[in-house]
Amino acid sequence: MVKKKSFLEKLVSDNFFIISSWDWENELKPNWNRLFKTVKKFQIYHQGDIKNLSNAHIDTNLITKTKHTGSNISDYLLFILKNYPYFPEYIGFIKANLIERHIPENKFISLAKKKDLVPLYFERKTLKKKSSLFRGFIFQQIAPGICLEITNNWYIKNTEKGKYFPLIEDLYYFITKQKIIPKFIPMIPGANFITKSEKILRWDKSFFEKLYEAASYQSVPNPMPVEAWHIERCLMYIFFFERYNV
């Protein structure tokens, strides 16, 4: 006779997660108790002061101090570099404060347990198309957890020019070797997702070394390179989609 899972057992994900964290405060501060109801296998990559995690009562062996880059992307890439080529079959990459900020708790509990390629995002407001009188379509959630955004580099206006990939076209070519970028690009806002190790291992380690350098080369007070914005928008070409034959 198969034993039925208890209510608490149903909350738990068996997947392994890399959790990117920072010294967020107020409404951005992570609710660790809520997160740990579901996430049991994890390593925290913390870009802030480790002392600020003391109230969360987390085993210090599960915390890695990382460079403050302003982006969770660099923590994901650092984990890949430190552990390449040895990964669990499925890996979740998430921000510590994703619940309710990027996805409702009930949806996260349901999706975090899946053994699949899973975007961990849902905001009801993005189901409605965002458009501009002059530019037309800009952004919309087109499938569960996946949004479509115009590839016009709108976010580079108030940032330093990228050292490695100044425009999203540059990064897109580096990844796909396709010279013509789509007018719109599918993305996961917040960059929280589950992927398979085989999607990581199809790329050489040097590929991730280049991406990590591009996502982490700037320093305080403006630590987040424009390349981190580009990588967020190209994540599905790295961890989800089939590679182009080149």
Side-chain angles (χ1 to χ4, degrees):
M1 182 177 180
V2 179
K3 180 183 176 182
K4 290 186 177 180
K5 288 187 177 181
S6 68
F7 171 74
L8 292 178
E9 286 177 316
K10 291 179 181 178
L11 299 179
V12 175
S13 170
D14 185 51
N15 288 328
F16 176 80
F17 287 84
I18 287 299
I19 305 173
S20 177
S21 180
W22 165 243
D23 296 335
W24 291 298
E25 297 180 351
N26 303 321
E27 70 276 5
L28 294 178
K29 189 172 183 178
N31 185 326
W32 293 104
N33 290 332
R34 180 168 59 182
L35 184 62
F36 291 156
K37 282 193 305 184
T38 298
V39 175
K40 301 297 183 181
K41 298 178 181 179
F42 62 89
Q43 184 75 28
I44 296 171
Y45 276 38
H46 189 67
Q47 297 187 20
D49 188 342
I50 297 294
K51 294 179 181 177
N52 290 330
L53 295 179
S54 59
N55 292 334
H57 307 292
I58 302 167
D59 184 344
T60 55
N61 292 318
L62 299 176
I63 303 172
T64 299
K65 177 71 175 74
T66 60
K67 179 181 178 180
H68 176 38
T69 66
S71 169
N72 49 323
I73 301 289
S74 63
D75 285 339
Y76 301 169
L77 296 169
L78 181 61
F79 166 79
I80 290 171
L81 292 178
K82 286 167 67 75
N83 294 277
Y84 196 98
Y86 305 106
F87 304 108
E89 184 178 6
Y90 290 92
I91 311 167
F93 293 100
I94 61 175
K95 293 179 183 177
N97 61 357
L98 86 160
I99 296 178
E100 302 306 339
R101 184 182 179 197
H102 294 293
I103 188 170
E105 184 175 15
N106 65 326
K107 285 190 178 292
F108 176 71
I109 291 171
S110 173
L111 295 175
K113 295 179 286 187
K114 292 185 178 295
K115 304 290 185 181
D116 208 341
L117 305 174
V118 184
L120 298 173
Y121 169 82
F122 181 80
E123 288 184 286
R124 186 166 296 279
K125 66 182 181 181
T126 61
L127 294 173
K128 185 177 180 180
K129 179 178 66 174
K130 182 179 179 181
S131 59
S132 164
L133 178 63
F134 300 102
R135 290 178 291 180
F137 178 89
I138 297 174
F139 180 92
Q140 186 178 22
Q141 187 176 176
I142 58 167
I146 299 174
C147 294
L148 199 65
E149 183 181 74
I150 189 169
T151 51
N152 65 353
N153 293 283
W154 63 267
Y155 44 83
I156 72 172
K157 294 178 182 178
N158 298 314
T159 62
E160 293 182 17
K161 182 179 179 180
K163 178 179 178 181
Y164 297 98
F165 305 107
L167 300 174
I168 191 171
E169 292 92 329
D170 303 317
L171 178 65
Y172 181 80
Y173 178 76
F174 173 72
I175 296 169
T176 68
K177 298 299 183 287
Q178 302 298 303
K179 295 181 179 180
I180 301 176
I181 190 171
K183 184 176 181 179
F184 306 101
I185 199 162
M187 63 172 294
I188 306 168
N192 302 286
F193 60 96
I194 297 170
T195 191
K196 299 180 70 173
S197 60
E198 66 184 49
K199 294 293 186 181
I200 299 173
L201 294 173
R202 62 188 179 155
W203 305 95
D204 293 336
K205 186 177 181 179
S206 60
F207 172 81
F208 293 107
E209 289 172 340
K210 180 74 171 180
L211 290 181
Y212 178 73
E213 172 62 19
S216 64
Y217 64 88
Q218 288 186 2
S219 300
V220 175
N222 183 28
M224 184 171 166
V226 68
E227 283 89 344
W229 294 75
H230 296 333
I231 295 171
E232 179 182 5
R233 282 151 181 78
C234 290
L235 277 177
M236 299 196 75
Y237 293 92
I238 301 170
F239 297 108
F240 280 63
F241 300 146
E242 292 300 310
R243 292 183 64 177
Y244 282 100
N245 293 321
V246 294

